[in-house]
Amino acid sequence: MKNNSEGLDNSESVRLATKELTLQLGPQHPATHGVLRIVLDLDGETIVKCTPYVGYLHRGVEKLAEHRNYLQIMPLTDRLDYISSMSNNIGYCEAVEKLFGIELTERTKFIRTIVGEMSRIANHLLWLATHALDIGAMTIFLYCFREREKILDLFERLCGARLTVSYPRVGGLKNDVDPQWLDDLYKFTAEFPMRVDQYETLINKNRIWLRRTKGIGVISAEEAINWGLSGPALRGSGVPYDIRKVMPYGAYDKVKWEVPVGKNGDIYDRYRVRMDEFRQSNSIIRQCIEILPEGPIMADAPKFILPAKDKVLTDMEHLIHHFVLITKGPQTAPEGEIYVATEVPKGELGFYFVSDGTGKPYRMRVRSPSFVHVSALPKLCEGELIADIIANIGSIDIVLGECDR
Amino acid sequence: MEPLDIANKIREKFPLDVADITGFRDQVFVSVKAERITDMCRYLYEDPDVSMNFLADLCGVDYPDRKFRFEVIYNLYSIKHNHRIILKALIPEDNPTVDSVVPIWNGANWHEREACDMYGIIFNGHPDLRRILMPDDWEGFPLRKDYPLKGKEGAEYRGFEELKELHTHDKEWNIS
């Protein structure tokens, strides 16, 4: 919505001048997508100053991680971005594997790519549902939840959990996928592009949707980089920066896909980028299933990796190995520091480890995209109207669990 | 550019300020004195061959036994050239201050606030240096190594001061 003040002549503006008002938004408000508190200084309906307050969901993950061994930290990463916990798990595993120098098997790389992209689809579905609901498009909400439910069901069949999955393991995966599961996922991907078309018919030409998103919350490419935005929020401004392309991990360099980018850097372009990512992710999953190689799923690094379960049940040495790793954890780790970034649905998730050679990280730093995106919120909505702040919060796709850690 | 070339370039430009250059896997870490960190960052930001336009991360690390107790990690990345270098500013315990890099990267704003919140490092010239994840009236710096993981048994958080003011009328309104 544009501030339509041209129609007023000067004398009338003076008469309508209002005093500044401070408005408290959140922390318990459905449109803030969690526990985000924002203090708004308003002049009429225009936002003069926007101050976000975070920390309501701070659980000290970084401090906790310093007191746990590398295998025990996995469930903590589930609870960072609980909408797409699979991606967080993969990001953590990639970082630890690079620190330990573990080379993954081919099959694991492909399966991780598949589940990572499923998690991206599930995340974007929830984003689209809630973002559209926030700015008034109610119909699409349950359609998105219908497809998201199917992905969560597939996750449940795969590893037993729907949200906090903890499915990847350092050096591999919890269990292999079975052919029936792959068939069902393949069937889902066959019909999913049609569903995306359906969502688009609902809102793409919707006049209210266009008025609420086009030209609102604009951020230029240089500013977006300077503010540290990443993921769809950065690509909406036309910067083709995707970690899956520039620093490939998993099987992203073995399948064909494109990085969707926007042009204007407004809410509408960020929406377009995510809609195109649906199709790209879908295509990545299909290609991965088609060329999924056979082979083992666990890498060969007995110092850090649990032995196979069937061997543990029959063989004494493997049982001892299993017991020692579970009760004490890895005893050593290579000494050094490492930063590994992965492309999670919301942006760049980085893990920075300082290892002092013991089995526990000396320092684990989580560079979470939501934290950076919330910090750029004042830049996006100062000078705009109060209704646009809700659209802006939706468009940068934040989860406060990840922001506050 | 290869990360090691960038590190050597920094050493050429600032010979007295680079303390150490280390590598691990394919990443290069440059330990530098904290005094000229903004000059160094601005140089890396503006030099067209390096052009570190993306501040990927900024965080603190605590080494209680070292001469310089704190390190501030500047994780710089160039979207243009796809290369990364990590600067480590060495900061002593008795004077934990370093100049802010917010004038160069706006994205540093909240990262620096968090480093201040968690380690007590003061960033000179920061526009709005307050606690961010912990409550405003929190005592101590949680990510320091001498801060306990678990608080004392039975101790309760005394609550926000501003909330206490709100509750002064509880008795007359019969709210317990």
Side-chain angles (χ1 to χ4, degrees):
Chain A
M1 274 183 269
K2 284 270 173 251
N3 198 347
N4 191 17
S5 57
E6 290 93 339
L8 301 171
D9 64 39
N10 264 344
S11 58
E12 203 169 355
S13 314
V14 172
R15 193 165 55 79
L16 290 176
T18 47
K19 70 170 185 179
E20 281 201 9
L21 177 79
T22 306
L23 183 76
Q24 165 106 343
L25 180 70
Q28 304 289 345
H29 189 286
T32 58
H33 294 210
V35 278
L36 172 65
R37 174 179 163 223
I38 302 171
V39 175
L40 298 166
D41 290 343
L42 300 171
D43 179 15
E45 271 200 271
T46 315
I47 298 167
V48 179
K49 190 159 175 274
C50 157
T51 321
Y53 289 81
V54 298
Y56 293 93
L57 215 54
H58 179 59
R59 292 146 299 175
V61 168
E62 291 174 7
K63 183 81 177 173
L64 278 171
E66 290 172 11
H67 295 263
R68 273 156 180 69
N69 69 47
Y70 286 99
L71 306 184
Q72 289 173 322
I73 296 168
M74 177 75 73
L76 298 181
T77 63
D78 278 330
R79 283 137 184 93
L80 290 174
D81 176 3
Y82 38 79
I83 308 296
S84 52
S85 55
M86 193 71 94
S87 306
N88 287 255
N89 293 157
I90 293 171
Y92 173 76
C93 287
E94 294 284 337
V96 175
E97 281 147 13
K98 189 156 184 196
L99 174 69
F100 287 172
I102 297 173
E103 183 61 33
L104 289 177
T105 66
E106 280 299 301
R107 189 175 172 83
T108 303
K109 284 183 186 173
F110 274 85
I111 296 176
R112 276 196 191 174
T113 308
I114 292 173
V115 293
E117 291 310 308
M118 284 169 70
S119 148
R120 190 179 312 277
I121 290 177
N123 175 80
H124 284 0
L125 282 171
L126 187 90
W127 162 80
L128 179 62
T130 52
H131 179 44
L133 185 69
D134 282 348
I135 52 182
M138 285 187 78
T139 322
I140 199 166
F141 181 76
L142 284 174
Y143 284 105
C144 288
F145 265 67
R146 181 183 61 190
E147 266 71 61
R148 181 169 177 265
E149 193 66 16
K150 287 183 183 165
I151 289 190
L152 296 189
D153 283 347
L154 284 167
F155 277 162
E156 190 177 13
R157 275 169 63 192
L158 180 65
C159 59
R162 290 158 59 84
L163 287 172
T164 50
V165 286
S166 282
Y167 171 62
R169 290 284 181 275
V170 174
L173 302 161
K174 176 175 162 280
N175 53 274
D176 205 342
V177 296
D178 64 87
Q180 183 60 43
W181 187 85
L182 282 176
D183 279 353
D184 290 351
L185 177 59
Y186 201 71
K187 271 182 211 149
F188 172 79
T189 57
E191 68 162 29
F192 184 64
M194 185 263 288
R195 303 289 185 202
V196 179
D197 295 342
Q198 274 182 359
Y199 309 148
E200 290 195 332
T201 54
L202 278 173
I203 48 178
N204 246 7
K205 289 178 186 167
N206 185 321
R207 277 172 67 190
I208 304 171
W209 176 266
L210 295 178
R211 289 288 298 271
R212 293 291 312 259
T213 55
K214 277 211 164 175
I216 309 289
V218 181
I219 187 161
S220 72
E222 288 76 33
E223 279 173 328
I225 295 173
N226 197 274
W227 275 95
L229 298 188
S230 51
L234 178 61
R235 292 195 283 274
S237 299
V239 185
Y241 172 62
D242 191 317
I243 298 161
R244 295 172 290 168
K245 270 282 192 239
V246 296
M247 296 170 255
Y249 55 95
Y252 289 109
D253 48 350
K254 298 185 183 72
V255 290
K256 271 191 197 160
W257 61 285
E258 284 163 14
V259 181
V261 287
K263 211 164 78 184
N264 304 323
D266 55 3
I267 298 178
Y268 184 75
D269 278 22
R270 294 195 274 276
Y271 151 75
R272 287 288 341 149
V273 166
R274 290 196 179 92
M275 293 310 271
D276 288 343
E277 279 189 3
F278 275 136
R279 300 198 174 85
Q280 295 297 333
S281 298
N282 197 65
S283 146
I284 293 174
I285 296 175
R286 282 180 80 81
Q287 292 176 57
C288 283
I289 294 176
E290 279 156 15
I291 53 172
L292 181 66
E294 291 297 321
I297 51 164
M298 291 306 275
D300 182 28
K303 264 164 102 178
F304 311 115
I305 292 176
L306 292 175
K309 194 75 181 175
D310 55 331
K311 292 216 174 109
V312 173
L313 297 175
T314 52
D315 188 56
M316 187 67 191
E317 278 73 29
H318 284 97
L319 179 66
I320 295 170
H321 179 196
H322 180 92
F323 184 75
V324 169
L325 263 185
I326 289 290
T327 52
K328 291 183 178 167
Q331 291 301 291
T332 58
E335 213 175 315
E337 298 173 30
I338 200 142
Y339 177 82
V340 178
T342 47
E343 184 80 21
V344 296
K346 294 184 170 61
E348 169 172 348
L349 176 75
F351 281 93
Y352 180 77
F353 283 109
V354 179
S355 162
D356 58 349
T358 61
K360 292 173 182 172
Y362 185 79
R363 168 90 165 98
M364 181 181 94
R365 158 79 179 166
V366 186
R367 187 266 188 217
S368 60
S370 298
F371 186 71
V372 183
H373 288 179
V374 179
S375 79
L377 198 58
K379 164 80 194 107
L380 289 171
C381 51
E382 275 176 16
E384 305 222 1
L385 296 186
I386 182 167
D388 299 332
I389 191 168
I390 303 298
N392 270 314
I393 293 171
S395 85
I396 52 174
D397 194 12
I398 51 170
V399 153
L400 273 295
E402 181 184 54
C403 175
D404 299 346
R405 302 182 296 273
Chain B
M1 266 174 123
E2 289 298 309
L4 203 57
D5 296 338
I6 302 170
N8 287 328
K9 212 170 165 172
I10 300 171
R11 176 132 68 182
E12 263 173 41
K13 182 86 179 169
F14 302 92
L16 297 175
D17 298 289
V18 174
D20 195 13
I21 296 177
T22 52
F24 184 70
R25 306 294 179 217
D26 50 1
Q27 294 179 352
V28 172
F29 303 84
V30 186
S31 303
V32 299
K33 288 181 192 160
E35 285 80 25
R36 293 190 64 193
I37 189 73
T38 43
D39 294 343
M40 219 171 273
C41 286
R42 190 165 286 284
Y43 166 69
L44 290 171
Y45 178 73
E46 283 170 0
D47 188 284
D49 295 336
V50 187
S51 173
M52 294 292 186
N53 51 4
F54 189 74
L55 180 82
D57 191 15
L58 188 156
C59 65
V61 186
D62 181 17
Y63 298 100
D65 304 330
R66 293 196 186 166
K67 185 183 158 207
F68 291 98
R69 177 170 174 180
F70 301 112
E71 276 181 2
V72 175
I73 312 283
Y74 297 82
N75 192 329
L76 310 180
Y77 178 75
S78 167
I79 289 182
K80 199 169 149 201
H81 300 294
N82 185 19
H83 53 213
R84 186 186 297 284
I85 191 129
I86 296 171
L87 298 183
K88 300 200 271 188
L90 305 173
I91 294 162
E93 186 180 5
D94 49 4
N95 180 26
T97 57
V98 64
D99 286 339
S100 166
V101 294
V102 175
I104 307 173
W105 298 283
N106 282 315
N109 190 325
W110 277 27
H111 289 312
E112 286 184 350
R113 272 178 72 187
E114 194 192 341
C116 173
D117 190 358
M118 293 296 162
Y119 291 97
I121 299 166
I122 306 295
F123 291 86
N124 294 326
H126 188 285
D128 184 23
L129 200 62
R130 303 177 273 128
R131 283 195 182 266
I132 181 162
L133 294 178
M134 306 303 285
D136 287 339
D137 52 353
W138 193 261
E139 281 167 15
F141 301 104
L143 274 178
R144 285 190 179 183
K145 286 284 174 184
D146 51 13
Y147 191 92
L149 177 67
K150 204 176 161 188
K152 282 189 197 117
E153 206 64 45
E156 276 180 25
Y157 175 51
R158 59 202 151 69
F160 264 129
E161 289 302 320
E162 53 179 298
L163 283 186
K164 272 189 187 167
E165 281 169 28
L166 283 179
H167 286 286
T168 47
H169 300 292
D170 283 1
K171 267 198 183 143
E172 45 193 281
W173 294 343
N174 273 333
I175 307 168
S176 60

